Amino acid sequence: MLDTFPWVDLVGAPTPLERMSRIGEVLGHPAIWVKRDDCMPLAFGGNKVRSLEFWIGEAKAQGSDMLVVAGALPSNQCRLTAAAGAKLGIEVLVLYAGDSEAPLRGNAMLTELLGADIRRLGPVSEEERGALAQQAMAELRAAGRRPYLIGDPFVGALGYVRAAEELTAQDLQQGAGLRHIVLPGSMGVTEAGLILGAALLDRDWRFHLVSVEYDAAELTARLTENILGAAALMDQAVPTDLMDRVEIHTGELGGGYGVVTEASLAAARTMAANEALMIEQVYVAKTFAGLLNLVRSGAIPKDEAACILHTGGTPSLFEQ
Ligand SMILES: Cc1ncc(COP(=O)(O)O)c(C=O)c1O
């Protein structure tokens, strides 16, 4: 499905699909699985590595000689762009929004260690950050460079179309019989790729998006746009019943993006104490809290296998 797209290998071997038997005991559910996208060779890994495989593929195909990425200090995308640049020998400029005096910890500390050129933008809005990124791109071009701006959501979603292929093969090989996939609902890139990929592969998975950022209408709009965009890139028709397989859960949002809840703190402890699996608070702990609720309420029945996508973000454990 993806053979025609330029791509670089950053993930390496498939990330593990593991049964969480101790969590299964806690829940009285025999088949709770985890797809370990936190387990990748590149600088603590995570979902953004899969998108970077296609972003950097495109950058190389366009003859770019450097990568530009913008984000907040806790951004996993900035850290992993710096990591990919270091690994592949490509210069990286990171534009960090937020208090310019704030210390570089967790993800940002790693970005610096990885040798990226860091520019601090101060406390700008998301819109201003985008405009400043475009300005940096124009300045670099004027200086004779060929920069590539990381972050196109449609290209980025291709990484999770590929992950859907990987998970399908593992599901069949390991006899998991997955029926429910639980994952964070955020910008809708990872989600779009996985949902589109699964549909194109005819999987009968139901998707539970645990929103960590937006209300249901906003998340649905982002998701739909990204699914249509990625499908258009792939020259594929989108199955008309695609969104029937998707449920959005907003019950874990609490005080909003990045704000911990009692449930997310408890979920992280349950995961660590029973599976020795570390999950951070912005994305994965809220998602796992959502999974616990879905099983306890019977929305995920005991005779249907479920899998949580661990999207990584591990270094932010050291920012909390
Ligand atoms: C660890 C982690 N999980 C989930 C997400 C959400 O992914 P998406 O933006 O594709 O919705 C991100 C995005 O920053 C992330 O870093």
Side-chain angles (χ1 to χ4, degrees), residues 36-40 42-47 74-76 79-80 106-107 110 276-284 310-320:
R36 298 286 307 273
D37 274 5
D38 61 317
C39 283
M40 294 179 184
L42 189 74
F44 302 102
N47 59 333
S75 162
N76 293 302
R79 179 240 320 166
L80 285 164
N107 273 303
L110 296 176
L277 246 160
M278 312 318 291
I279 56 178
E280 51 67 55
Q281 289 293 319
V282 182
Y283 299 100
V284 191
H310 189 332
T311 50
T314 307
S316 53
L317 278 162
F318 305 101
E319 288 160 7
Q320 287 158 13

Side-chain angles (χ1 to χ4, degrees), residues 23 29 31 46 103 225 278:
I23 291 294
H29 188 305
E225 190 186 344
M278 312 318 291

Side-chain angles (χ1 to χ4, degrees), residues 83-276:
K87 182 79 183 169
L88 299 172
I90 308 173
E91 210 178 309
V92 177
L93 171 64
V94 178
L95 306 173
Y96 272 138
D99 176 7
S100 296
E101 302 304 315
L104 303 182
R105 297 163 56 213
N107 273 303
M109 184 270 282
L110 296 176
T111 299
E112 202 267 335
L113 194 60
L114 288 158
D117 188 8
I118 292 178
R119 197 178 296 169
R120 313 279 300 252
L121 303 177
V124 295
S125 69
E126 219 166 292
E127 213 177 25
E128 288 167 323
R129 187 178 84 196
L132 288 167
Q134 289 301 341
Q135 193 183 316
M137 292 288 288
E139 283 166 11
L140 286 162
R141 284 193 201 103
R145 301 300 302 264
R146 294 187 306 278
Y148 178 89
L149 185 62
I150 292 290
D152 180 275
F154 304 160
V155 175
L158 301 178
Y160 271 85
V161 173
R162 190 165 184 278
E165 294 178 336
E166 186 178 305
L167 186 57
T168 296
Q170 289 173 313
D171 187 9
L172 299 174
Q173 270 158 20
Q174 295 179 231
L178 299 181
R179 295 295 310 283
H180 301 268
I181 310 290
V182 184
L183 72 163
S186 182
M187 302 290 278
V189 175
T190 302
E191 306 89 306
L194 201 58
I195 293 166
L196 177 63
L200 297 176
L201 292 163
D202 257 342
R203 307 309 299 157
D204 63 347
W205 298 337
R206 286 202 76 72
F207 289 92
H208 302 269
L209 271 47
V210 180
S211 179
V212 301
E213 190 158 7
Y214 299 114
D215 63 26
E218 173 81 28
L219 177 52
T220 306
R222 286 175 183 265
L223 180 62
T224 309
E225 190 186 344
N226 292 338
I227 288 174
L228 291 173
L233 279 184
M234 293 174 69
D235 216 4
Q236 294 277 353
V238 179
T240 47
D241 63 346
L242 190 71
M243 292 306 279
D244 296 351
R245 311 166 198 198
V246 180
E247 284 173 32
I248 290 179
H249 307 281
T250 52
E252 305 302 330
L253 256 172
Y257 180 74
V259 182
V260 302
T261 62
E262 246 175 68
S264 66
L265 290 169
R269 284 191 176 278
T270 302
M271 191 66 119
N274 290 285
E275 298 286 344

